[in-house]
Amino acid sequence: MTLHFAVIGDPIGHSRSPAMMMRACAALGVRAQYEAYAVAPHALEHAVRGLHALGFAGYNVTIPHKVAVCAFVDALDHSAQQAGAVNTVVVRDGRTIGYNTDGIGYVRSLLEEIGPHAFGRDVLILGAGGAARGISYAVKDRLRPKSIAIANRTRTRAEGLARALDCATVVSWDEVAHVLPSYGLIINTTSIGMEPHEEPCALDRLRAGSIISDIVYRPTQWLAHAQSRGGLVHGGVGMLVHQGAEALEMWLRAHGMPYAAPIAVMREAVQA
Ligand code: ATR
């Protein structure tokens, strides 16, 4: 039997997920196909129902559908309810269940690359969109942060996320560069670094030994600057790998294959 998986998004041409998942399945000896499909927002419901009707074993959901897809699955796992967004759908006993593996993927990758230094820090999260929501709950639940602050260009969204987290404060977007020395883990969840010359904030005041983390998975100028100032840097490749590993393990478990995802092979495929 060949298992069929997909990722849906728009645009989707740049996605590294097909290469990563196909390499992972090959390494595990699992017969599978994983394809990327461009789905326009107005076609999302039809696409989701179509994947289900065609017998897909599971699929990933990416920008811009992570929030909208919540309405089209049979149930939402706790992780998706907290984040208000789904990045992984598992088909189990004929029912579709939405999960969010971004947060756990982020934390696993941070711990893999930075180690236990990541625990117990004062955390500053830049951005308050879907990615920030998934990550901030995982940071709160798993990294024992001393404090959490949110800064976002649109302040009302930062306030909404801080309220939902029930333990976070808000920092003005314009103040970020100034308050940087107060934070030991600074996480960029915005898409700013995707443009190579844009940086979410100036790093002149960065404390040596602070962790600077960016979910953009290409090398960014911001992280290069952070490193040259003595920061411990963490890029987005690991999060991509670990969110995918979590998804793959759930899909395979639903088919009686409780295999551990081959992390090193997946990382290699993303970076090829
Ligand atoms: P995602 O699901 O990937 O988080 P999103 O919900 O669209 O996507 O959120 C994108 C985040 O990047 C938001 O925090 C956004 O800030 P706003 O809430 O003010 O829109 C932030 N962002 C994107 N481009 C930005 C820019 N040029 N400057 C500052 N923030 C930016």
Side-chain angles (χ1 to χ4, degrees):
M1 182 183 62
T2 300
L3 296 175
H4 290 271
F5 303 114
V7 56
I8 55 175
D10 185 23
I12 198 68
H14 65 280
S15 174
R16 301 300 299 152
S17 292
M20 176 175 82
M21 293 298 202
M22 291 299 285
R23 282 283 301 281
C25 288
L28 291 171
V30 171
R31 282 176 54 180
Q33 279 297 331
Y34 184 108
E35 306 269 2
Y37 295 100
V39 173
H42 73 270
L44 179 63
E45 182 172 4
H46 287 303
V48 165
R49 307 235 181 268
L51 291 172
H52 193 37
L54 289 167
F56 274 66
Y59 52 93
N60 288 127
V61 182
T62 188
I63 291 170
H65 302 314
K66 288 186 184 186
V67 174
V69 80
C70 294
F72 306 130
V73 292
D74 296 323
L76 291 175
D77 173 69
H78 182 63
S79 58
Q81 284 173 15
Q82 268 190 337
V86 163
N87 78 326
T88 300
V89 175
V90 179
V91 181
R92 195 176 290 125
D93 304 323
R95 293 180 77 234
T96 52
I97 302 155
Y99 290 81
N100 193 304
T101 68
D102 284 336
I104 177 82
Y106 172 79
V107 167
R108 292 239 158 109
S109 138
L110 186 70
L111 291 175
E112 181 185 55
E113 292 177 35
I114 302 288
H117 295 306
F119 290 111
R121 300 233 169 188
D122 289 299
V123 180
L124 175 61
I125 296 175
L126 307 179
R133 275 154 67 159
I135 288 171
S136 56
Y137 278 103
V139 165
K140 175 186 168 188
D141 292 346
R142 294 166 187 270
L143 290 182
R144 289 189 285 103
K146 233 190 263 166
S147 67
I148 303 182
I150 318 278
N152 192 51
R153 178 179 58 181
T154 310
R155 188 182 171 98
T156 48
R157 287 184 93 190
E159 288 168 350
L161 178 55
R163 247 194 324 275
L165 279 174
D166 201 22
C167 66
T169 53
V170 173
V171 167
S172 296
W173 186 248
D174 300 337
E175 294 278 299
V176 168
H178 188 69
V179 300
L180 227 48
S182 306
Y183 298 94
L185 169 57
I186 297 135
I187 310 169
N188 177 34
T189 73
T190 74
S191 48
I192 294 172
M194 286 171 84
E195 294 300 328
H197 298 297
E198 287 182 15
E199 303 193 31
C201 66
L203 292 170
D204 315 23
R205 292 168 60 86
L206 182 72
R207 248 195 293 146
S210 287
I211 303 166
I212 294 280
S213 180
D214 197 330
I215 67 167
V216 173
Y217 64 77
R218 275 181 284 278
T220 66
Q221 184 175 287
W222 192 61
L223 285 189
H225 282 164
Q227 191 154 32
S228 69
R229 292 183 176 277
L232 302 173
V233 302
H234 168 246
V237 170
M239 174 174 163
L240 178 68
V241 168
H242 280 274
Q243 63 77 33
E246 292 288 318
L248 183 62
E249 289 177 4
M250 285 195 287
W251 294 332
L252 295 180
R253 257 199 318 274
H255 285 80
M257 293 181 267
Y259 305 152
I263 300 291
V265 165
M266 294 169 78
R267 183 182 284 274
E268 212 178 274
V270 169
Q271 290 177 314

